[in-house]
Amino acid sequence: MSDLLDPAALDAALEAVHHAGMPGLFAEVRDGDEVWRGAAGVADTATGRPVTADMRHRVGSITKTFTAAAVLQQAEAGRIGLDTPIGHYLPELVPGERGRAITVRMLVNHTSGLPEYLPYAYPSLKAFPALAETRPESLDDHRFTRFDHAALIGMGLAAPAAGTPGGAPGVYSNTNYLLLTRLLEEVTGTTADRYITRNVIERAGLTDTGFPSGPHIEGPHSLHYEAWFGMIDPPRDYSVFDMSWVGPAAALVSTVADLNRFFGLLLAGEIVSPASLARMQHTVPVITQEGKRGDYGLGLYPMEEPGKDRFWGHGGTVWGAGTLAMIRADGRRRMAVAVNLQRWNTLDPSGTPLPHPIDDALAAFHRLAMYG
């Protein structure tokens, strides 16, 4: 093993996240041909069943990288113009001036100004982003709801705009990516799930990645514990959940090994062309769902520390599950980590999430996994 890939240190850092309060987590780190996989904690707090590094997991918005790659493939084929108004392709969904002002590129990089539909689909979350005024009851109400994507898009379009098309900073919104899935269906003549499966997932040779066919995760997996900022105590398992509320914006199930393989092939120019990859890595300022300012490209965003190498990838959260996958710009160093608890922070009187030991422990693992 190289000095950069220290198995004992990685094991200890993973255990530290578990001891800080994370029920279970697992990860894979690659440095060239060297591979470390590790797991710490439990997949089921009631039985004590341990997590393992090969478990399948809902990876949330990492799905957006797969969807963006599919859009770029269609742009390479001349069927989609990144700077063509979305109203040209979907005039019934996005009519009028808005349809003429919002381009495909603005949807992919979250600068469309379209707001998030989620607070309108889940009534108890309507006050979002005012977290203290939200409640988690809708999660149980909609565990088995089969949402219609056109209806979800309509909720986003009917809500007050989050900004002007092309304006800076953009605002991260699942509405953008549900529109992109409808765009893919329009230009390919098949469902977005099928197109992404055939042309992104299978092209990358990912054997443990796919869209769920129902509310259950197939294969070995952890339970997914949601705390909703201390309002669900003890945290409740939401691993059984109908994922139509996000579809190809955030519904994929994968493994940490498959994620590292995918991002490796993506940065090697084997999923989209090198020219398309360069477009994916051209970033603009965007406000995240956590209200923080960051840089976002076309389904990719960078992470780096001062004086350190830049990494590219994506993170994702769904109810109870979180994942982060990052790869160094040269493609050698890769890190993917999955956790089985979300929104572990409680809120202060102003509604701001309070620091939690998990925050620092998880950040320390990320740093070690990325930089050694």
Side-chain angles (χ1 to χ4, degrees):
M1 288 288 181
S2 71
D3 291 337
L4 285 177
L5 204 56
D6 184 336
L10 289 164
D11 286 338
L14 210 62
E15 285 287 350
V17 183
H18 170 53
H19 289 301
M22 180 62 62
L25 71 161
F26 48 99
E28 180 188 84
V29 180
R30 290 178 171 265
D31 197 302
D33 294 330
E34 297 177 0
V35 182
W36 167 89
R37 295 187 185 97
V42 297
D44 185 329
T45 58
T47 68
R49 175 170 59 93
V51 287
T52 58
D54 60 349
M55 283 182 161
R56 304 186 80 225
H57 199 71
R58 297 198 193 278
V59 301
S61 285
I62 293 177
T63 310
K64 290 181 172 65
T65 310
F66 289 73
T67 300
V71 171
L72 269 292
Q73 287 177 352
Q74 289 297 297
E76 291 171 15
R79 299 186 188 96
I80 290 176
L82 292 177
D83 296 311
T84 300
I86 190 61
H88 171 76
Y89 301 105
L90 303 172
E92 294 181 0
L93 273 178
V94 196
E97 179 55 35
R98 211 175 203 177
R100 292 188 291 272
I102 296 172
T103 67
V104 173
R105 189 188 305 271
M106 292 174 196
L107 297 174
V108 190
N109 68 12
H110 296 292
T111 59
S112 70
L114 294 177
E116 177 63 60
Y117 62 78
L118 192 57
Y120 303 93
Y122 285 73
S124 69
L125 307 184
K126 191 168 185 179
F128 186 86
L131 298 176
E133 298 174 30
T134 64
R135 292 293 180 269
E137 287 81 9
S138 293
L139 277 62
D140 292 297
D141 295 341
H142 289 307
R143 187 185 285 268
F144 297 107
T145 300
R146 196 70 184 165
F147 282 104
D148 176 74
H149 288 171
L152 293 176
I153 292 167
M155 293 175 192
L157 289 168
T164 57
V171 177
Y172 190 96
S173 168
N174 283 298
T175 308
N176 294 318
Y177 272 73
L178 280 194
L179 273 167
L180 290 172
T181 67
R182 296 303 293 261
L183 171 61
L184 282 171
E185 291 167 358
E186 179 69 21
V187 300
T188 66
T190 188
T191 67
D193 287 16
R194 289 195 193 101
Y195 179 85
I196 295 167
T197 298
R198 285 200 305 260
N199 296 279
V200 180
I201 295 170
E202 292 177 0
R203 183 170 179 172
L206 308 183
T207 57
D208 287 309
T209 300
F211 290 99
S213 58
H216 294 272
I217 302 172
E218 297 179 4
H221 63 277
S222 170
L223 302 189
H224 293 355
Y225 293 104
E226 179 62 52
W228 197 259
F229 308 104
M231 298 179 206
I232 305 176
D233 188 19
R236 189 173 303 136
D237 169 38
Y238 288 105
S239 58
V240 177
F241 212 95
D242 189 304
M243 296 302 292
S244 60
W245 64 279
V246 281
L252 269 184
V253 174
S254 189
T255 63
V256 289
D258 266 11
L259 292 177
N260 276 336
R261 176 176 173 82
F262 168 69
F263 281 101
L265 292 170
L266 181 67
L267 261 67
E270 296 187 33
I271 306 298
V272 299
S273 71
S276 290
L277 177 63
R279 294 184 186 99
M280 293 180 79
Q281 293 175 309
H282 178 77
T283 65
V284 294
V286 166
I287 304 299
T288 69
Q289 284 186 320
E290 294 77 30
K292 300 176 181 177
R293 188 183 179 108
D295 295 322
Y296 198 91
L298 302 184
L300 282 175
Y301 62 76
M303 283 181 67
E304 62 185 312
E305 293 192 358
K308 302 282 190 178
D309 293 323
R310 172 171 281 198
F311 279 68
W312 290 94
H314 213 290
T317 68
V318 292
W319 312 132
T323 316
L324 178 68
M326 284 285 152
I327 179 169
R328 198 165 64 198
D330 66 5
R332 281 188 57 85
R333 186 83 172 196
R334 312 176 203 179
M335 177 273 289
V337 58
V339 300
N340 67 1
L341 172 68
Q342 282 299 286
R343 284 156 284 271
W344 52 78
N345 306 83
T346 55
L347 304 175
D348 69 13
S350 70
T352 302
L354 289 164
H356 190 287
I358 290 174
D359 302 330
D360 289 340
L362 193 55
F365 175 79
H366 293 159
R367 284 194 297 273
L368 180 66
M370 290 163 62
Y371 298 114

